[in-house]
Amino acid sequence: MRMRGRRLLPIILSLLLIVLLSLCYFSGHLRESRESPVDQFLLHLPPEAEEEPPNPNPQPKPANPLLNLTDFQYLLASNVCRKAERELLAILIVTSYAGHDALRSAHRQAIPQSKLAEMGLQRVFLLAALPARERFISQEQLASEQQRFGDLVQGNFIEDYRNLSYKHVMGLKWASQECRNHAKFIIKLDDDIIYDIFHLRRYLEALEVGQPGLATSSTLLSGYVLDAKPPIRLLANKWYVSKKEYPHALYPAYLSGWMYVTNVPTAERIAAEAERASFFWIDDTWLTGVVRTRLGIPLERHNDWFSANAEFIDCCVRDLKQHSYECEYSVGPNGGDDRLLVEFLHNVEKCYFDECVKRPAGKSLKETCVAAVKSRAPEHGLAEVKPLRLR
Ligand SMILES: *[C@@H]1O[C@H](CO)[C@@H](O)[C@H](O)[C@H]1NC(C)=O
Ligand SMILES: *[C@@H]1O[C@H](CO)[C@@H](O)[C@H](O)[C@H]1NC(C)=O
């Protein structure tokens, strides 16, 4: 017993010492934290500086302004580009009213993400925040749509046709930041547009081979060119533009926002130059017209791909089903029919397996579809139909 006690004594003593030392240490801290608010105020000026040691790796502030929206944030963000296993041929950025969930669902049904991925493509929808008046969809529903598909990019500005320029710049910035080194091309689309993705893919593949300089340049803008249109100066028109908003008699040539093709270097320059240019709310006119002109970027004209008639696309679907006739057009409006894109893409694909035939002479769409045609010629239609897209 005595022997054991003698061996334990130094251990007990050192334990006591440790306890004593810790008591001193913690009481010091306790005293510090019990200082009155006044003491704290006097001793630690400013208090935050003491509590938050400088972060060697500061997180980017959520404030990453979008044009003059200093409090811009993404409400929903997608990583479809970063997570792609190999470099994508293109990322599709589709301007979509947040409430158009049924229309987005038609896009996904027409060509699902898995199939896009097989083709070297990915797609996101560009949304803004739901306006207070929106009754049919909630932010929770959008969050669950995002959970399911991960293809939404939503900014915190409010949905409005007068806010489309914000949305468009958001899309170009998002694609150039998220898809740099991940996607060769950017295809900008509206959600109510029919587009032949198989045709666009062929075009991009040919562009890479045939014009590699243009494909990788910072001057790629390709689509439907609208030449020198005058602004609408009639007050009653939804698209009325005041002299203050746009003082000149004509717009510079610009690309229809229905569908155009660009790439990361070009999108980046346009988004950066937009920050320096004065804001204009008609998004395609501003970005691919006014802002583009400041950068001296020429436009690639592919007007023959486009039809302003939803009926023509409808007739195309009918003739593809019945006779496997190739469609003369690759892009057009859906005419308010959400299902038309599904029908069109499901029927046009066979033409890329050489299962279609050229339209016989005398059976052009203009001749065989004319009875159904209600809207005007494409030249007018592009300007006239477009305004209807957002109620
Ligand atoms: C941003 O600019 C637009 C157009 O000039 C203006 O109408 C709007 O009030 C500005 N917004 C902010 C947050 O400054
Ligand atoms: C555009 O978005 C801003 C920012 O959220 C908002 O304050 C403004 O009301 C919106 N504009 C319109 C015309 O709704």
Side-chain angles (χ1 to χ4, degrees):
M1 280 302 278
R2 276 189 69 205
M3 280 299 286
R4 202 181 280 171
R6 224 185 262 166
R7 254 192 280 152
L8 274 178
L9 193 62
I11 298 175
I12 291 169
L13 278 177
S14 28
L15 277 177
L16 265 174
L17 196 64
I18 291 171
V19 169
L20 267 172
L21 281 174
S22 341
L23 272 176
C24 291
Y25 180 75
F26 283 117
S27 69
H29 267 249
L30 278 175
R31 225 187 305 130
E32 221 170 78
S33 62
R34 277 194 200 133
E35 277 158 8
S36 71
V38 175
D39 285 342
Q40 207 162 41
F41 181 64
L42 291 172
L43 291 172
H44 310 281
L45 257 181
E48 292 82 3
E50 176 86 12
E51 276 148 29
E52 282 179 17
N55 187 347
N57 225 341
Q59 287 292 308
K61 280 266 177 285
N64 169 22
L66 183 72
L67 303 171
N68 66 349
L69 302 180
T70 48
D71 63 347
F72 172 77
Q73 281 182 38
Y74 289 112
L75 298 178
L76 297 170
S78 169
N79 64 351
V80 293
C81 269
R82 285 173 194 248
K83 75 169 194 214
E85 279 155 19
R86 58 196 164 96
E87 191 184 18
L88 299 170
L89 179 66
I91 176 77
L92 280 64
I93 58 173
V94 186
T95 306
S96 178
Y97 174 67
H100 286 171
D101 55 331
L103 191 45
R104 288 190 293 278
S105 154
H107 278 257
R108 296 190 191 101
Q109 211 182 326
I111 185 148
Q113 283 165 310
S114 54
K115 178 142 189 187
L116 282 173
E118 279 169 30
M119 293 171 72
L121 305 168
Q122 278 296 329
R123 170 187 55 212
V124 292
F125 296 97
L126 307 172
L127 317 183
L130 291 166
R133 63 168 189 278
E134 176 60 53
R135 295 275 171 270
F136 298 103
I137 193 165
S138 65
Q139 186 62 26
E140 288 70 41
Q141 276 167 279
L142 294 175
S144 76
E145 183 179 338
Q146 176 74 336
Q147 228 169 18
R148 214 165 142 209
F149 302 104
D151 59 1
L152 305 181
V153 173
Q154 185 187 29
N156 64 347
F157 50 93
I158 314 273
E159 285 285 3
D160 193 280
Y161 72 107
R162 286 198 164 246
N163 272 347
L164 280 173
S165 284
Y166 292 109
K167 190 182 271 193
H168 198 145
V169 174
M170 174 180 84
L172 295 178
K173 269 180 101 168
W174 178 86
S176 48
Q177 287 164 3
E178 283 288 311
C179 306
R180 176 190 313 282
N181 304 323
H182 296 288
K184 292 195 183 94
F185 298 101
I186 299 169
I187 302 176
K188 152 72 176 73
L189 288 156
D190 284 343
D191 64 357
D192 54 359
I193 292 303
I194 306 296
Y195 58 100
D196 181 347
I197 191 60
F198 308 102
H199 167 84
L200 291 176
R201 182 166 176 251
R202 275 208 176 164
Y203 164 70
L204 295 181
E205 285 171 343
L207 194 65
E208 271 190 288
V209 178
Q211 290 167 277
L214 178 62
T216 56
S217 71
S218 57
T219 58
L220 175 64
L221 279 174
S222 172
Y224 190 105
V225 179
L226 288 130
D227 295 297
K229 299 266 167 203
I232 295 170
R233 301 292 194 196
L234 299 165
L235 249 172
N237 193 299
K238 181 182 178 182
W239 297 84
Y240 162 77
V241 169
S242 70
K243 285 253 164 75
K244 191 155 170 278
E245 287 170 332
Y246 190 83
H248 311 290
L250 295 173
Y251 295 128
Y254 66 97
L255 292 180
S256 162
W258 282 9
M259 191 292 295
Y260 71 84
V261 172
T262 185
N263 61 10
V264 168
T266 311
E268 191 171 35
R269 281 176 78 202
I270 291 176
E273 188 64 22
E275 306 270 352
R276 294 183 276 269
S278 64
F279 183 85
F280 183 53
W281 57 274
I282 302 185
D283 62 312
D284 47 9
T285 310
W286 186 46
L287 294 165
T288 70
V290 178
V291 175
R292 166 197 71 83
T293 306
R294 289 164 59 110
L295 296 166
I297 301 175
L299 299 176
E300 284 275 305
R301 186 182 296 263
H302 288 286
N303 293 15
D304 56 333
W305 294 351
F306 289 71
S307 165
N309 274 313
E311 286 82 1
F312 278 3
I313 306 287
D314 221 19
C315 290
C316 264
V317 171
R318 180 197 65 196
D319 293 349
L320 276 163
K321 281 182 177 168
Q322 288 175 9
H323 312 289
S324 295
Y325 288 163
E326 279 178 7
C327 184
E328 280 132 290
Y329 300 107
S330 302
V331 187
N334 72 5
D337 176 0
D338 289 5
R339 302 290 307 164
L340 190 55
L341 181 64
V342 182
E343 288 279 299
F344 180 74
L345 281 181
H346 285 184
N347 284 288
V348 83
E349 185 177 11
K350 62 182 169 193
C351 299
Y352 296 87
F353 297 105
D354 294 322
E355 288 167 23
C356 293
V357 293
K358 286 250 174 292
R359 270 179 185 282
K363 296 239 167 163
S364 78
L365 276 180
K366 287 199 180 78
E367 286 158 287
T368 60
C369 203
V370 82
V373 172
K374 285 178 234 101
S375 33
R376 308 185 201 185
E379 291 75 17
H380 283 118
L382 277 172
E384 298 298 322
V385 177
K386 187 172 176 284
L388 299 175
R389 78 187 147 179
L390 284 186
R391 274 176 279 157

